[in-house]
Amino acid sequence: MTQPGTALKPGPWRRRTLHTSSVIALLTALPTTLAQAQEIPGYNLYGSPGLIDMPTAGPAPDATLGVTVSRFGDNTRTTLNFQIAPRLSGSFRYSAIDNFPAPGNVDGRYFDRSFDLRYELLTETPNRPAITVGLQDFIGTGLYGGEYLVATKELFPGLRVTGGLGWGRLGSFGDIGSTGNRPDELLGEGGIPTYDRWFRGDVAPFGGVSYSPNKNLSFKLEYSSDDYAQESTTGEFDKKSPWNYGIDYRFNNGTQLSLYHVYGSEIGAQVTLFTNPKHAQVPGGSETAPLPVAVRSPAAAQDLGWTTDSASTTANAKTALKTSLEREGLVFEGLALEPRRATVRLRNPKYGATPQAIGRTARAMSRVLPGSIEEFVIVPVVNGMALSAVSIRRSDLETLENDAATEILARTRILDGYNMAPDPEAGIYPRFTWSLSPYVALSAFDPDNPVRADAGLRLGSDIRILPNVVLSGAVTKKLGGNLDEVTREDPSGLPRVRTDYAKYSKEGDPAIEHLTASVYGRPATDLYSRVTVGYLEQMYAGVSGELLWKKVDSPLALGVEMNFVKQRDFDQMFGLRDYEVATGHASAYYDFGNGFHGQLDVGRYLAGDYGATVALDREFANGWRVGAYATFTDVSYDDFGEGSFDKGIRLSIPLGWVLGQPSRQANNAEIKSLTRDGGARLNVDGRLYEQVRDYHRPEMAMTWGRFWR
């Protein structure tokens, strides 16, 4: 379940969130290009590469993200599938089964959450088929639990043949043997890996063929090894045959629309929408080009005459550079001139790819600074913290402008910005900003209602008294919604630190979303600090302190955060409740390369439980991020309740990727199976790691291709 009120607000990921839309809705508006669509295999009713109800071998193109909604008989399945790596993919599925009298159903409808993994063991060649192994519903109730080994081969253009062996549900019809005993009861709480069932029990064959006479149309025939025993005996599903057949139509934008006749008695249909974070909607972007580098004459490069009147020259350079950077959407904050070096203090509110801001600043400097200045030092600052110092030789800019960006990167030094930023110009601070915008607070996968939401208006403001001292607040007014209509109160063996969200929605109208004072700092080289005091989030007020260690050229960062908070009154005004807790974590962050980032947090959570959260995200140069996390604490599965432990999937879609214009805004969403009290963390805006790492060498190297954009 998405955390109500926070899924679409600034979270621990970089860049601020747009409050007006959900990520899943945005995905439906982002089709692939035709060239990408031709590479994507057909997806089945489970929302992964397959025929109709059975899987096929082979992956989708790397980083393909697909959303499938399918319906046949009493079954409705909604699946999010992501090609995590070239051979590995994962799925999260939310299913609704009508007329299914299982424990926990609502008015005869049973809701189920499940996760899948599949891995390509062998790629297809002219002499062998592709072979894939898969785990279906390996974390869940086990309702759709099954494993398979499947092979697929193209015999001639357009004709593909598939054969495989299945276990669990996929071994429940026409079995040809057994690999041991397999438990078959549904797991009431769900959420636990069902490793005691994997590749155990009856094994049965399945298979089929598909034929594509052209790039848009596919005909499919399959033999299914799923008996649908539970649906047939407890529901109104009437299976008459193991044979399924159907047709897929692939639109030029990549969307797959399918119509099936399944199990001799049912008509099925599905739609699958695709996108791929690796491919921009507007390749290269549509922003205006920067001004070219101004090349000096040999005489100008040696002329130090300006130093006899350096004050006047500096004043003129500041004015010219400020004007030039404003045209680029960048903010000039200060400048220090020396005979051979210029250091500029820069704020970047526009460019999601930091090197693009650095490149445009360097070009502007080449056009307005005295010719004798050979070294440009650009110091980007965020919340008053100098995060790095990018040193570029002017002569390299002049000679390499039309070469690959990697050439200038090889000659660029990226240093720690500690004590290197010029003082900000007089009159910049204090600085006041405000905004009025819509907001949406989402709650998904409630057992009584799959989707709940509140919508309203948010009035927010920031006052930057000093560069590193920020007063921030936001007030919300709900215009409509049903988050407050949760009638059931799930049992919890823990303090209700998150599960009272419906009460906050009901009584908090209007509400003070947050009201804080934050102080950021650079205590020493490689160190960054934050202290935040006030009404920190929707449910908690108190004090939060953080210290981060990160070297500017290192993939590793270490941090510690300590918080002391009290629970806020449900009306989200100034009152506090009795519950208070000290919570905090020690964290390790690591950039594994190739876009994979890991994070480990160890400490105490809001309910007083101790444990650890492990997260792995795949990130792309254009700002996309897709990841997953899991939290394990000393809370027993029984005390935690349904779901057994906290886990979820998170997405971040940069606005610049959608519009083709530079932006540091993004849509962030967290897809959780449930909101529970175990493993719950405080939501604090402005955590350090996501601010700092954007301006360090590993992250900048990934997006350095935009230096000349």
Side-chain angles (χ1 to χ4, degrees):
M1 184 183 297
T2 53
Q3 180 62 42
T6 64
L8 296 178
K9 66 176 284 186
W13 285 359
R14 66 182 146 180
R15 308 182 183 101
R16 293 185 68 81
T17 302
L18 292 178
H19 303 287
T20 57
S21 63
S22 73
V23 168
I24 299 303
L26 181 60
L27 282 173
T28 65
L30 302 178
T32 63
T33 65
L34 176 59
Q36 299 162 37
Q38 291 173 337
E39 301 173 359
I40 300 175
Y43 276 41
N44 62 14
L45 289 162
Y46 280 101
S48 60
L51 290 165
I52 299 171
D53 208 27
M54 297 291 105
T56 56
D62 184 33
T64 297
L65 188 64
V67 178
T68 297
V69 179
S70 66
R71 171 78 180 182
F72 72 99
D74 293 331
N75 300 271
T76 302
R77 301 169 186 161
T78 303
T79 306
L80 178 69
N81 178 275
F82 180 57
Q83 192 67 38
I84 303 168
R87 294 187 178 213
L88 177 68
S89 67
S91 301
F92 171 72
R93 184 178 306 103
Y94 189 65
S95 305
I97 308 175
D98 298 327
N99 306 306
F100 192 72
N105 69 355
V106 180
D107 297 329
R109 170 171 282 195
Y110 180 72
F111 295 100
D112 185 79
R113 298 166 297 275
S114 55
F115 293 86
D116 301 352
L117 281 176
R118 48 183 282 144
Y119 183 79
E120 184 184 35
L121 296 174
L122 294 175
T123 59
E124 184 176 355
T125 70
N127 299 317
R128 75 179 183 213
I131 298 179
T132 295
V133 62
L135 299 175
Q136 185 171 287
D137 193 7
F138 76 101
I139 298 180
T141 62
L143 174 64
Y144 289 114
E147 303 80 49
Y148 57 86
L149 186 67
V150 61
T152 299
K153 184 75 175 72
E154 185 174 50
L155 298 184
F156 61 82
L159 180 65
R160 302 186 66 80
V161 177
T162 293
L165 296 173
W167 289 258
R169 283 193 69 119
L170 303 184
S172 58
F173 178 81
D175 66 277
I176 57 174
S178 176
T179 55
N181 296 324
R182 182 188 184 100
D184 58 4
E185 75 277 4
L186 293 182
L187 301 175
E189 301 296 344
I192 305 172
T194 56
Y195 53 84
D196 61 331
R197 307 180 180 202
W198 296 348
F199 299 99
R200 298 180 63 181
D202 293 340
V203 55
F206 62 86
V209 297
S210 67
Y211 176 63
S212 301
N214 55 53
K215 65 180 183 296
N216 299 109
L217 197 61
S218 294
F219 299 96
K220 295 180 175 181
L221 171 69
E222 76 171 15
Y223 172 86
S224 171
S225 57
D226 189 340
D227 199 31
Y228 278 83
Q230 290 180 299
E231 291 87 346
S232 297
T233 57
T234 62
E236 297 184 0
F237 186 87
D238 183 18
K239 178 187 175 184
K240 296 180 179 179
S241 168
W243 292 98
N244 304 322
Y245 54 90
I247 184 172
D248 294 344
Y249 187 82
R250 181 68 55 85
F251 292 90
N252 288 343
N253 66 4
T255 299
Q256 175 187 326
L257 185 63
S258 303
L259 186 65
Y260 306 125
H261 186 270
V262 294
Y263 299 104
S265 59
E266 305 289 348
I267 299 296
Q270 77 176 65
V271 60
T272 303
L273 303 147
F274 300 99
T275 192
N276 193 308
K278 294 174 70 173
H279 305 289
Q281 299 299 294
V282 183
S286 59
E287 66 269 29
T288 57
L291 293 172
V293 172
V295 179
R296 301 165 293 172
S297 67
Q302 300 302 321
D303 184 7
L304 292 173
W306 66 272
T307 59
T308 60
D309 189 11
S310 60
S312 175
T313 302
T314 299
N316 292 335
K318 288 179 178 179
T319 301
L321 187 57
K322 179 180 179 181
T323 301
S324 183
L325 291 178
E326 283 178 349
R327 286 197 298 263
E328 303 289 357
L330 298 166
V331 179
F332 168 87
E333 289 203 350
L335 177 68
L337 291 187
E338 303 171 56
R340 299 293 184 185
R341 176 190 299 149
T343 304
V344 64
R345 179 187 180 106
L346 176 72
R347 186 159 52 85
N348 170 29
K350 180 176 182 179
Y351 297 95
T354 300
Q356 189 168 7
I358 300 297
R360 294 198 171 211
T361 301
R363 291 187 186 205
M365 294 173 74
S366 78
R367 302 187 69 84
V368 302
L369 297 184
S372 68
I373 295 176
E374 169 63 13
E375 183 184 6
F376 293 164
V377 180
I378 301 167
V379 183
V381 294
V382 176
N383 287 322
M385 299 180 293
L387 302 183
S388 61
V390 183
S391 175
I392 304 171
R393 293 177 58 199
R394 189 173 188 170
S395 55
D396 290 336
L397 283 174
E398 294 169 343
T399 59
L400 298 175
E401 183 177 18
N402 296 316
D403 291 351
T406 52
E407 296 295 328
I408 193 71
L409 175 61
R411 303 189 190 190
T412 297
R413 295 188 301 153
I414 302 176
L415 312 169
D416 191 333
Y418 178 68
N419 279 345
M420 294 191 68
D423 293 335
E425 293 291 293
I428 296 180
Y429 298 97
R431 180 166 57 88
F432 173 76
T433 58
W434 69 277
S435 65
L436 178 64
S437 63
Y439 79 89
V440 176
L442 293 175
S443 170
F445 315 127
D446 183 325
D448 294 335
N449 192 333
V451 179
R452 295 183 188 273
D454 283 349
L457 294 175
R458 173 184 288 107
L459 176 65
S461 68
D462 288 345
I463 303 174
R464 294 186 179 270
I465 301 174
L466 297 171
N468 65 325
V469 179
V470 185
L471 305 181
S472 179
V475 177
T476 59
K477 171 58 181 174
K478 184 168 66 173
L479 300 180
N482 61 350
L483 274 180
D484 58 352
E485 295 177 7
V486 178
T487 56
R488 72 182 227 172
E489 187 169 284
D490 291 324
S492 177
L494 298 168
R496 302 191 76 86
V497 296
R498 287 298 184 199
T499 48
D500 282 335
Y501 62 86
K503 296 178 181 178
Y504 282 93
S505 173
K506 183 177 182 178
E507 299 186 29
D509 183 27
I512 299 173
E513 188 178 59
H514 74 274
L515 184 62
T516 60
S518 300
V519 180
Y520 298 87
R522 291 294 317 267
T525 303
D526 303 327
L527 287 179
Y528 306 82
S529 65
R530 173 189 58 83
V531 177
T532 304
V533 200
Y535 295 85
L536 302 173
E537 53 138 292
Q538 178 189 30
M539 298 186 185
Y540 291 93
V543 57
S544 173
E546 184 183 5
L547 187 67
L548 178 76
W549 172 89
K550 188 178 186 308
K551 296 181 74 66
V552 74
D553 59 352
S554 173
L556 174 69
L558 301 173
V560 61
E561 178 181 290
M562 296 296 296
N563 313 288
F564 181 77
V565 295
K566 294 195 71 173
Q567 204 165 45
R568 297 177 62 184
D569 280 347
F570 296 134
D571 64 4
Q572 297 172 70
M573 289 300 179
F574 295 101
L576 301 174
R577 307 183 70 212
D578 291 336
Y579 183 76
E580 61 183 43
V581 63
T583 176
H585 291 79
S587 301
Y589 314 85
Y590 196 80
D591 181 349
F592 292 100
N594 296 319
F596 287 94
H597 291 255
Q599 180 174 338
L600 175 66
D601 303 298
V602 180
R604 192 181 196 216
Y605 296 82
L606 284 172
D609 46 332
Y610 291 87
T613 299
V614 60
L616 182 66
D617 300 296
R618 185 174 182 191
E619 303 177 13
F620 301 89
N622 55 28
W624 262 84
R625 179 185 288 191
V626 183
Y629 69 91
T631 298
F632 305 91
T633 73
D634 56 359
V635 174
S636 69
Y637 291 157
D638 290 338
D639 285 340
F640 184 92
E642 187 176 354
S644 301
F645 64 94
D646 190 43
K647 54 193 170 295
I649 297 169
R650 51 195 193 182
L651 304 173
S652 181
I653 304 177
L655 183 63
W657 182 87
V658 181
L659 302 179
Q661 291 288 330
S663 175
R664 293 191 66 79
Q665 291 183 312
N667 277 273
N668 295 339
E670 186 176 288
I671 303 172
K672 300 179 65 170
S673 57
L674 287 168
T675 291
R676 306 296 300 173
D677 297 311
R681 289 193 68 178
L682 188 69
N683 296 319
V684 182
D685 195 17
R687 283 189 167 118
L688 293 171
Y689 179 68
E690 297 303 332
Q691 300 181 60
V692 170
R693 67 170 216 164
D694 271 4
Y695 295 90
H696 282 194
R697 188 177 187 92
E699 188 74 5
M700 281 202 279
M702 186 171 73
T703 59
W704 197 264
R706 298 198 68 83
F707 180 87
W708 292 123
R709 290 290 305 169

